[in-house]
Amino acid sequence: MRRRTVTALSALALLAPLLAGVAPAHAGPAPGAARAAGADRLAVHTGVLDAAGLGALSDLGLDRHELVLTDPGPGAAPGSVRVEAVLSGEQARRLAARGVDVAPAPAAAPRRDTLAAPAAPVFRRYAGPGGLAEELREQVAEHPGLAQLVPFGRSVRGQEVLAVRVTAGAGEVPEGSRPATVYVGAQHAREWITPEMVRRLLDRVLDGHGSDPATTELLRGSELWFVPVANPDGYDFSFEEGQRLWRKNLRDNDGDGETTPADGVDLNRNFPTRWGYDDEGSSPDPASETYRGPSPASEPETRALDELVGRITPEFFVNYHSAAELLLHGIGWQVATPSPDDVLYEAMVGDDADPAVPGYDPDLSAELYTTNGDTDSHLQEAHGTLGFTPEMSTCAAAAASVEGDAWEPEQCGSGFEFPDDEALVRAEFEKNVPFALAVARSAADPDDPVSVVGRTAEDFRLDTFSVSHGDPQTVAVVAKRALRDVTLNYRVDGGPVRRAPVAEWGGGERYGDENDDYYAELRGQVRGAGPGRAVEVWFEGRRHGSGPHALAAGGGERVRSGSFTYT
């Protein structure tokens, strides 16, 4: 039976009010690699927990979307669930001290078909002979004039963090002078499927130039940036024996010269925007998997990525993670907080019935868990770069995707351990390609994006209601910033049309002034409608005209929103 993390999230959300197969190493150690201590390791733990136990688990600062919750089976107490979580031995002991019983899951890995010859491993280290960094250098050398190798920083242990920039005439065209999209993998070390996604997308684009007309045209007018491994120290460390589930970078938090679960910083909680806003969206505990670091942008990997994006100001940023089968966008620091640019995001990711990546669930970033200090939020607020976080498939989902193959979901050690199988990796990559390329094709005109699900980013999105309790009455619409001369229009009881000016809402005490690069919330006031009267409301504006002076002359296509009526 396929177990999806989305199911786990739903179960956890329902309980929220009550809450107070390792792949072999294929290269030598990375330069500056830490010495691993033998006392503790991260491992999958399981247990049947009630609401109090889930509260204790939450207090450890785990990333909630990484919990797997399933039916506890017959005989379990009402309201309890079976939980699988990645914990250190110390975290398991802390739970035990609070009376919460979890135990290491049996070591297991997806089985190989013993009748077949063993296949070459798919997953590789970043550093060393045959590693991903070496491949990036080779790719650039094979595509002069199209690809550039861009070292843009160093890790906490001194490794170069590499990007490849791809655009036609790369050597002559200045960085950032064309609409840009950045693709990033392995910000979290154990998510091995994500570097494969980014490096294979790089291959697809390079091979397509000159042979595929759409790719050739794309690279004439835009630039694509590929960062397969944003956390090279942690990624290489996860290839060491017993460290497959390492997530963070390799900051030596306690300065003892060894790397234990008490070390490392979660790079996706270390960015300055809303850094440390609360202890739910990130943790102040160095032993937590969501430890945000001692200060905003304390980590060199964080600063390097921030400076790169600030230098090239890309229109879009795609930050691949795993494993949950989600397409996340928008506000992550507070649950259920929509924003104006969601109109654009939703046109690109689709919805539950028709997602841009088959089998994934499009959602606001904080739909079921919160984050703060995260990458996407900071890059949009600091640089105007709109971000997506595709959470790629779990081990179980991938293993169940092909009937009768050599991979069984029940034998997955952890959801992060994507099967080391070329066919399954290729299938996961291929289903992500259309969305990935649509994002790049949208960079030239972001508020009129390319949608693989056939949706458009509408000019207006009304904020509707049915009953008013006052006069004057404020009404609101989310509108494209590209529209000009937007006005509020209304009529009372079918009478003559009245017009009123609108102004952009500046936000409230906590939110409302973010994620509004391409859309804005505009508000106006309806006046003179007495009790019991029916008021019809709509908005109008002008699109750009065809000539350079069309707007100045009052030209351009006049567009109108839908309407709604309140009493």
Side-chain angles (χ1 to χ4, degrees):
M1 179 180 178
R2 182 177 179 181
R3 300 175 303 168
R4 291 193 58 177
T5 308
V6 171
T7 303
L9 286 171
S10 302
L12 190 58
L14 292 173
L15 291 167
L18 302 175
L19 295 179
V22 181
H26 308 307
R35 181 166 61 92
D40 203 355
R41 293 286 187 273
L42 295 169
V44 176
H45 287 67
T46 66
V48 176
L49 276 59
D50 58 12
L54 284 170
L57 193 64
S58 177
D59 290 344
L60 295 176
L62 302 181
D63 204 341
R64 292 187 178 190
H65 81 284
E66 295 181 353
L67 304 178
V68 176
L69 280 68
T70 54
D71 190 323
S80 62
V81 291
R82 177 169 293 281
V83 179
E84 294 183 13
V86 177
L87 302 172
S88 67
E90 175 59 28
Q91 287 175 317
R93 287 188 288 274
R94 286 162 63 181
L95 289 176
R98 295 178 61 173
V100 180
D101 185 23
V102 296
R111 66 179 175 85
R112 291 275 194 185
D113 184 350
T114 56
L115 299 178
V122 175
F123 300 118
R124 292 172 286 149
R125 293 179 186 262
Y126 178 75
L132 297 178
E134 180 178 86
E135 180 180 320
L136 297 183
R137 293 185 174 93
E138 291 172 351
Q139 286 280 56
V140 169
E142 292 170 5
H143 296 86
L146 182 63
Q148 288 179 311
L149 188 72
V150 182
F152 65 94
R154 290 189 177 272
S155 69
V156 72
R157 298 296 170 111
Q159 289 202 78
E160 278 191 323
V161 189
L162 299 176
V164 176
R165 174 184 180 240
V166 182
T167 191
E172 292 76 38
V173 178
E175 289 181 0
S177 61
R178 290 173 172 170
T181 302
V182 179
Y183 303 93
V184 170
Q187 195 174 37
H188 289 152
R190 61 195 175 202
E191 298 169 8
W192 289 4
I193 185 61
T194 65
E196 283 300 304
M197 178 66 215
V198 177
R199 80 159 191 87
R200 287 168 189 249
L201 188 62
L202 169 62
D203 290 348
R204 177 68 56 88
V205 169
L206 291 175
D207 292 345
H209 184 261
S211 60
D212 174 58
T215 302
T216 304
E217 182 64 25
L218 174 65
L219 296 179
R220 285 187 185 134
S222 61
E223 61 185 49
L224 279 61
W225 291 73
F226 301 87
V227 183
V229 180
N231 176 13
D233 297 342
Y235 177 72
D236 281 351
F237 186 64
S238 70
F239 282 79
E240 298 293 330
E241 184 177 355
Q243 302 298 343
R244 175 66 183 86
L245 297 179
W246 188 265
R247 167 185 167 104
K248 299 182 282 184
N249 76 349
L250 291 190
R251 167 75 63 187
D252 188 0
N253 292 332
D254 53 14
D256 66 356
E258 296 183 332
T259 301
T260 73
D263 292 314
V265 171
D266 182 348
L267 298 177
N268 203 30
R269 302 295 188 277
N270 187 237
F271 283 82
T273 297
R274 295 195 186 271
W275 179 89
Y277 175 80
D278 60 29
D279 291 344
E280 179 182 2
S282 63
S283 175
D285 180 2
S288 167
E289 291 288 83
T290 58
Y291 175 50
R292 56 184 171 248
S295 60
S298 59
E299 304 312 292
E301 298 95 336
T302 302
R303 296 192 298 273
L305 191 56
D306 191 16
E307 290 165 5
L308 175 68
V309 171
R311 192 170 87 209
I312 63 178
T313 58
E315 279 65 31
F316 291 110
F317 179 87
V318 185
N319 190 14
Y320 288 100
H321 283 262
S322 71
E325 300 162 270
L326 301 172
L327 271 176
L328 301 176
H329 63 85
I331 290 176
W333 64 273
Q334 178 174 267
V335 171
T337 306
S339 61
D341 283 340
D342 288 343
V343 177
L344 190 157
Y345 283 124
E346 290 166 9
M348 298 177 74
V349 301
D351 55 26
D352 292 357
D354 192 14
V357 179
Y360 286 18
D361 181 18
D363 263 320
L364 287 175
S365 287
E367 185 70 19
L368 293 171
Y369 67 99
T370 62
T371 60
N372 50 59
D374 67 283
T375 314
D376 294 11
S377 294
H378 175 74
L379 296 185
Q380 179 159 7
E381 287 303 295
H383 309 299
T385 298
L386 274 63
F388 298 92
T389 297
E391 289 275 356
M392 301 181 75
S393 292
T394 63
C395 174
S401 64
V402 177
E403 190 71 29
D405 71 352
W407 302 87
E408 300 295 338
E410 294 77 11
Q411 294 175 296
C412 288
S414 158
F416 301 105
E417 296 176 76
F418 197 97
D420 193 358
D421 182 282
E422 173 59 28
L424 296 182
V425 172
R426 185 170 61 252
E428 180 72 6
F429 164 71
E430 291 291 349
K431 75 180 184 182
N432 273 273
V433 168
F435 173 70
L437 293 179
V439 173
R441 292 183 176 117
S442 300
D445 188 9
D447 70 356
D448 189 18
V450 176
S451 171
V452 297
V453 292
R455 297 180 64 156
T456 59
E458 62 261 39
D459 292 320
F460 296 104
R461 181 173 291 182
L462 293 168
D463 183 358
T464 65
F465 55 92
S466 59
V467 177
S468 165
H469 296 274
D471 178 33
Q473 171 64 53
T474 300
V475 291
V477 67
V478 170
K480 280 186 179 180
R481 288 190 178 278
L483 296 176
R484 297 293 184 268
D485 304 327
V486 176
T487 59
L488 161 64
N489 300 262
Y490 65 96
R491 56 185 158 206
V492 181
D493 287 339
V497 175
R498 308 180 193 179
R499 289 185 171 83
V502 297
E504 182 174 349
W505 180 51
E509 293 181 1
R510 295 185 64 196
Y511 66 92
D513 59 347
E514 58 194 305
N515 288 46
D516 56 1
D517 288 85
Y518 294 96
Y519 283 80
E521 180 169 336
L522 306 179
R523 295 183 176 187
Q525 288 195 325
V526 173
R527 298 178 182 273
R533 306 186 75 179
V535 181
E536 182 186 8
V537 175
W538 69 95
F539 294 81
E540 294 181 358
R542 291 186 186 275
R543 288 200 187 106
H544 287 282
S546 58
H549 305 297
L551 283 176
E557 178 189 1
R558 193 76 183 171
V559 293
R560 171 178 167 157
S561 73
S563 66
F564 72 99
T565 300
Y566 70 84
T567 301

